[in-house]
């Protein structure tokens, strides 16, 4: 066979076989590309509501932007001003206190109660429901309003203290205790974490405990050597997500302080100060810079959390 | 027999002893749980009780007894009158409820429709860039909303959509709640792929597989998404505060906030009554949706 003939057969083969093949491939491609159609809403959302706004907010953070006038480029001035702004530091202190005390405390209470609610315990579903209810309502304005009254000078909390002969004070109007009452509100909503832990506890095989008991392990030993290690992935997941959420908390502080973060800026959460800059003082550029700093702080803390998890989170094989 | 006799009583006594101590621990446990439960629930009961008590009485007697007259609706009437002046509506609170309901239901529908579509694509379809897009989607779960807040506000403002529900509802139709998308992806991954493969051999396209096979199987994940979206949007305050400044567009949350800011806001009875009304739907979800709530939380709390 000559080289030419060989080429011809090859060429015809290239056109002949692919015809059927191509139809199959086209159908496959159409089959696969329909994924883009399913994702279309998400792609519009990610572009229009996340990526482009993120880029613009980065740009706005480098401008002076009074809402009605439009942006003028000022470089990194907003960031310089931000680090010199005493109220920014105050709001960081308030927010970090809330995150560092509130989140672990709430998770610890949730875990303790979940462990107490043994499996098969009488009245389990009753307790679970009652203890869960606050976390369903806790984010609402109504509960923040209630909280302000409960911890007010003549509120329920002081009436309770009076039973023990303790003379209380106006907890939300005292700069030393106002933040504490908001942290307590956060702890009050431990129910949903408790339900997660309960489900996690149920996944631990009973035979682990039986074996430990035979080996003479007491309740505390069983808790620290079986329950805790096996729950660490769930604890970690909830810790990470809750910390991210806690950095952004706003409603409770806004309502309890009447929108100003008082008394004496003691409940000036970062998100609240950001809101005020944007929507009370209409400094859009400065608020955008604050948002970016918050974003970086949350990213850093989350990163540290993941790094630390190597040392305490136990992943079962 | 005689050798066994001395052995039997201690064993018996020991068993008795442990059962007594077990019972004691159990009683102590229940006592502790009851104390915790009462402490937790007391503020809520006080909220309900105070809504029916005369304004002057609320802080004089912070206990539950004597029971208030639950037929006394003075506080509610005071609240409504104050809202009438603010909004100009005859039934202001009905409007607040309706506004909140429109937003909430709109958001639920949006999340159900678009998160499930996106989840199906991520879990079951192959296309270029899928893994990158999936990673981006996961990252947005952790993205604080503040970073996009100001440009979004400026856009809605330029479009003249402040004081409409569009900025609150439309984003949910673009699958922005990545958390629910992720939840559904995990759920779909748990569904055996033989089901859709056999449907594919029978000539079904993706839309058919999604709508006829996946959606009916995804009911638990959809119920979880619906219920948590409802709770989240009903409790939302921040975005409603920013986008709804006209009292006629207020939701219940902004209504309560507006109430505290008003002159009547110093009337605690009325404030409590309005607060209580604003969370009635959440109580209803709690009463009738418990099963889904508990299952849903367990589903969302794991990885």
């Amino acid at each position: 066979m000559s080289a030419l003939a060989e080429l011809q057969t090859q060429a015809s083969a290239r056109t002949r076989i692919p015809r059927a093949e191509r139809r199959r491939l086209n159908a496959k491609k159409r089959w696969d590309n329909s994924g883009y159609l399913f994702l279309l809403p998400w792609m519009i959302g990610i572009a229009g509501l996340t990526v482009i706004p993120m880029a613009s907010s980065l740009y706005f953070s480098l401008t002076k932007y009074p809402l009605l006038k439009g942006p003028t480029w000022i470089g990194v001035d907003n960031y310089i001003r931000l680090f010199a702004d005493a109220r920014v530091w105050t709001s960081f202190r308030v927010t970090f206190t809330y995150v560092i005390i509130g989140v672990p405390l709430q998770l610890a209470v949730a875990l303790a109660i979940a462990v107490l609610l043994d499996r098969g315990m009488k009245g389990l579903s009753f307790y679970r429901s009652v203890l869960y209810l606050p976390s369903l309502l806790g984010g609402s304005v109504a509960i923040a309003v209630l909280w302000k009254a409960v911890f007010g000078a003549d509120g329920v909390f002081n009436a309770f203290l009076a039973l023990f002969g303790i003379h209380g004070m106006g907890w939300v109007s005292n700069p030393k205790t106002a933040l504490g009452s908001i942290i307590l509100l956060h702890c009050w909503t431990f129910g949903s974490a408790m339900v997660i832990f309960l489900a996690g506890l149920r996944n631990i095989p009973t035979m682990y405990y039986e074996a430990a008991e035979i080996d003479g392990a007491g309740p505390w030993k069983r808790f620290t050597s079986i329950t805790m290690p096996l729950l660490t992935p769930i604890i970690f997941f909830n810790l990470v997500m809750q910390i991210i959420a806690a950095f952004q908390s706003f409603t409770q502080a806004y309502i309890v302080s009447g929108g100003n973060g008082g008394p004496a800026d003691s409940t000036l959460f970062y998100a609240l100060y950001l809101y005020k800059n944007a929507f009370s003082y209409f400094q859009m550029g400065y608020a955008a810079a604050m948002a970016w700093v918050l974003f970086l702080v949350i990213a850093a803390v989350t990163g540290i959390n993941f790094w630390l998890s190597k040392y305490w989170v136990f992943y079962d094989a | 027999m005689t050798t066994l006799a001395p052995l039997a009583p201690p064993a018996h006594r020991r068993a008795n002893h442990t059962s007594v101590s077990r019972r004691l621990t159990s009683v102590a446990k229940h006592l502790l749980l009851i104390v915790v439960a009462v402490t937790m629930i007391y503020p809520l009961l006080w909220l309900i009780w105070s809504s029916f008590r005369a304004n002057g009485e609320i802080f004089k007697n912070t206990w539950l007894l004597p029971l208030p007259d639950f037929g006394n609706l003075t506080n509610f009437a005071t609240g409504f009158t104050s809202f009438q002046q603010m909004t100009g509506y005859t039934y202001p609170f009905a409007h607040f409820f309706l506004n909140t309901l429109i937003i909430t239901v709109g958001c639920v529908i949006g999340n159900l429709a678009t998160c499930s579509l996106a989840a199906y694509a991520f879990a079951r379809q192959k296309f270029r860039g899928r893994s990158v897009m999936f990673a981006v989607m996961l990252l947005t779960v952790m993205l604080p909303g503040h970073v996009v807040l100001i440009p979004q506000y400026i856009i809605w403002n330029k479009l003249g959509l402040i004081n409409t529900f569009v900025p609150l509802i439309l984003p949910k139709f673009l699958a922005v709640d990545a958390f629910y998308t992720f939840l559904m992806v995990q759920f779909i991954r748990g569904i055996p792929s033989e089901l859709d493969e056999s449907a594919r051999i029978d000539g079904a396209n993706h839309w058919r597989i999604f709508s006829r096979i996946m959606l009916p199987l995804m009911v638990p994940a959809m119920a979880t998404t619906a219920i948590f979206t409802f709770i989240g949007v009903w409790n939302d305050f921040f975005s409603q505060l920013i986008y709804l400044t006209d009292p006629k567009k207020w939701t219940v949350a902004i209504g309560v906030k507006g109430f505290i800011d008003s002159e009547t806001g110093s009337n605690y009875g009325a404030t409590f009554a309005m607060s209580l009304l604003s969370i009635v739907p959440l109580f209803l979800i709690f009463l009738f949706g418990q099963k889904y709530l508990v299952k849903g939380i367990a589903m969302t709390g794991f990885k």
Side-chain angles (χ1 to χ4, degrees):
Chain A
M1 211 190 275
S2 72
L4 186 70
E6 198 176 312
L7 265 177
Q8 270 174 339
T9 34
Q10 262 185 11
S12 69
R14 209 176 292 150
T15 49
R16 197 167 3 95
I17 299 167
R19 200 173 294 154
E21 181 82 339
R22 203 190 302 143
R23 199 170 299 144
R24 207 177 64 79
L25 281 175
N26 277 348
K28 191 179 176 316
K29 195 176 269 174
R30 219 177 309 133
W31 170 264
D32 287 342
N33 282 346
S34 69
Y36 295 120
L37 270 178
F38 279 74
L39 267 187
L40 193 62
W42 177 81
M43 288 195 285
I44 296 172
I46 201 83
L49 293 169
T50 306
V51 175
I52 296 171
M54 270 182 87
S56 352
S57 116
L58 188 60
Y59 165 69
F60 291 154
S61 77
L62 301 169
T63 66
K64 191 179 166 70
Y65 192 165
L67 184 59
L68 299 173
K69 287 187 185 147
T72 13
W73 180 267
I74 53 166
V76 292
D77 282 7
N78 281 327
Y79 292 93
I80 294 169
R81 190 183 137 201
L82 197 149
F83 284 104
D85 184 345
R87 292 189 84 193
V88 165
W89 291 106
T90 307
S91 68
F92 262 128
R93 194 172 43 75
V94 169
T95 310
F96 267 96
T97 313
Y98 178 75
V99 170
I100 290 170
I101 299 176
V103 174
L105 197 62
Q106 192 226 43
L107 288 177
V109 172
L111 181 61
I113 302 286
V115 171
L116 212 57
L117 287 171
D118 249 345
R119 33 190 139 193
M121 178 185 191
K122 230 181 245 170
L124 174 101
S125 62
F126 169 76
Y127 289 125
R128 192 179 53 195
S129 303
V130 168
L131 297 174
Y132 173 67
L133 180 62
S135 67
L136 180 75
L137 307 171
S140 65
V141 170
I143 293 303
V145 170
L146 170 68
W147 212 255
K148 197 178 175 182
V150 165
F151 284 91
D154 353 287
V156 172
F157 189 62
N158 280 344
F160 174 75
L161 289 182
L163 290 181
F164 303 93
I166 302 168
H167 189 70
M169 53 171 163
W171 302 93
V172 288
S173 52
N174 185 330
K176 285 200 178 108
T177 52
L179 179 59
S181 66
I182 295 177
I183 290 176
L184 266 185
L185 173 52
H186 182 70
C187 292
W188 186 65
T189 61
F190 72 78
S192 70
M194 175 197 73
V195 172
I196 293 169
F197 289 142
L198 275 173
L201 286 172
R202 202 163 297 168
N203 281 350
I204 302 177
T206 30
M207 59 175 193
Y208 290 0
Y209 293 105
E210 285 155 9
E213 209 165 351
I214 288 165
D215 289 345
W220 179 249
K221 181 83 188 156
R222 290 200 295 269
F223 175 75
T224 52
S225 321
I226 301 172
T227 313
M228 271 305 271
L230 290 177
L231 279 186
T232 46
I234 300 172
I235 297 174
F236 173 64
F237 176 69
N238 285 284
L239 192 71
V240 169
M241 296 308 286
Q242 288 228 26
I243 286 178
I244 294 172
F247 267 112
Q248 303 170 59
S249 55
F250 173 81
T251 308
Q252 281 71 25
Y254 183 96
I255 296 294
V256 170
S257 73
N260 60 22
D265 282 352
S266 63
T267 61
L268 187 71
F269 279 61
Y270 194 85
L272 183 54
Y273 189 43
L274 194 160
Y275 164 84
K276 284 170 77 80
N277 273 306
F279 300 101
S280 301
Y281 316 141
F282 299 108
Q283 303 178 327
M284 293 306 186
Y286 191 55
M290 278 190 76
W292 266 91
V293 170
L294 177 65
F295 173 53
L296 294 177
V297 168
I298 290 179
V301 170
T302 308
I304 293 171
N305 252 328
F306 271 94
W307 177 72
L308 282 175
S309 75
K310 281 190 301 197
Y311 300 101
W312 66 276
V313 179
F314 174 79
Y315 285 105
D316 203 7
Chain B
M1 280 304 268
T2 42
T3 45
L4 280 177
L7 282 175
H12 179 69
R13 211 179 299 141
R14 194 164 55 232
N16 224 353
H17 171 75
T18 49
S19 95
V20 165
S21 84
R22 278 227 171 119
R23 196 164 301 164
L24 272 177
T25 6
S26 162
V27 168
K29 220 186 220 179
H30 276 282
L31 269 178
L32 181 63
L33 283 169
I34 287 168
V35 167
V36 172
V38 168
T39 318
M40 295 281 290
I41 243 45
Y42 195 87
L44 292 175
L45 293 176
W46 188 61
L47 170 69
I48 301 171
W49 262 234
S50 304
S51 302
F52 295 95
R53 276 182 173 152
N55 199 26
E57 256 178 73
I58 292 172
F59 291 103
K60 261 190 208 140
N61 174 19
T62 47
W63 307 112
L64 301 182
L65 291 171
L67 286 178
D69 170 14
F70 286 109
N72 174 12
L73 300 177
T74 322
N75 291 328
F76 295 88
T78 313
F80 290 153
T81 317
S82 171
F83 275 136
Q84 278 170 351
Q85 285 157 1
M86 279 185 245
T87 60
Y89 285 132
T90 324
Y91 301 108
F93 219 87
H95 282 272
F96 297 164
F97 256 115
L98 193 66
N99 291 343
T100 320
L101 209 60
I102 293 170
I103 295 169
T104 313
V105 171
C107 289
V108 168
I109 294 172
N111 264 355
L112 287 181
T114 55
C115 291
S116 62
L117 281 173
Y120 179 80
F122 283 130
R124 280 296 203 261
Q125 291 177 283
K126 288 196 186 75
F127 46 88
R128 196 168 297 191
R130 184 182 72 164
S131 50
V132 175
M133 287 197 258
F134 188 66
V136 168
M137 193 270 294
L138 279 188
L139 278 179
T140 58
V141 175
M142 300 189 190
L143 186 77
H146 298 93
V147 181
V148 290
L149 169 78
I150 282 147
Q152 282 186 5
Y153 181 84
I154 289 168
I155 294 167
W156 298 125
N157 191 30
K158 287 221 166 111
L159 294 173
L161 290 170
I162 306 295
N163 279 317
T164 70
F165 301 152
V166 178
L168 299 166
I169 301 176
L170 186 71
K172 308 281 179 181
F173 278 87
L174 299 172
V176 289
D177 273 347
F179 185 73
Y180 298 117
T181 308
F182 179 61
L183 178 78
M184 291 189 201
V185 168
Q186 293 296 83
F187 195 86
I188 294 175
R189 280 177 179 165
I191 296 172
S193 58
E194 286 82 7
L195 278 175
D196 25 323
E197 270 157 26
S198 65
R200 184 182 167 178
I201 289 163
D202 290 345
N205 59 18
H206 272 302
W207 172 251
R208 223 176 151 73
I209 294 173
F210 171 72
S211 59
R212 296 294 163 85
I213 297 174
M214 281 303 158
L215 278 186
L217 290 172
M218 281 167 68
V219 168
M222 300 287 264
T224 301
T225 302
I227 214 161
F228 285 104
T229 307
F230 190 97
I231 295 168
V233 176
W234 196 276
N235 275 339
D236 174 36
F237 176 63
F238 191 69
S239 34
Q240 296 172 2
L241 180 70
I242 292 168
Y243 291 118
L244 307 174
T245 49
D246 175 7
K248 285 187 192 294
K249 300 288 181 187
W250 277 356
T251 58
V252 287
I254 307 301
V256 170
K257 180 248 165 198
F259 193 84
I260 318 169
D261 294 343
S262 73
E263 275 176 59
T264 338
S266 50
N267 180 327
Y268 265 100
T271 307
F272 282 163
M274 296 300 101
S275 301
L276 179 62
L277 275 186
S278 76
I279 50 175
V280 166
L282 299 176
F283 277 110
L284 293 180
I285 285 195
F286 174 72
L287 287 177
F288 300 109
Q290 282 243 14
K291 199 180 79 184
Y292 295 103
L293 277 173
V294 170
K295 273 193 192 147
I297 294 167
M299 203 191 287
T300 54
F302 291 108
K303 293 206 288 175

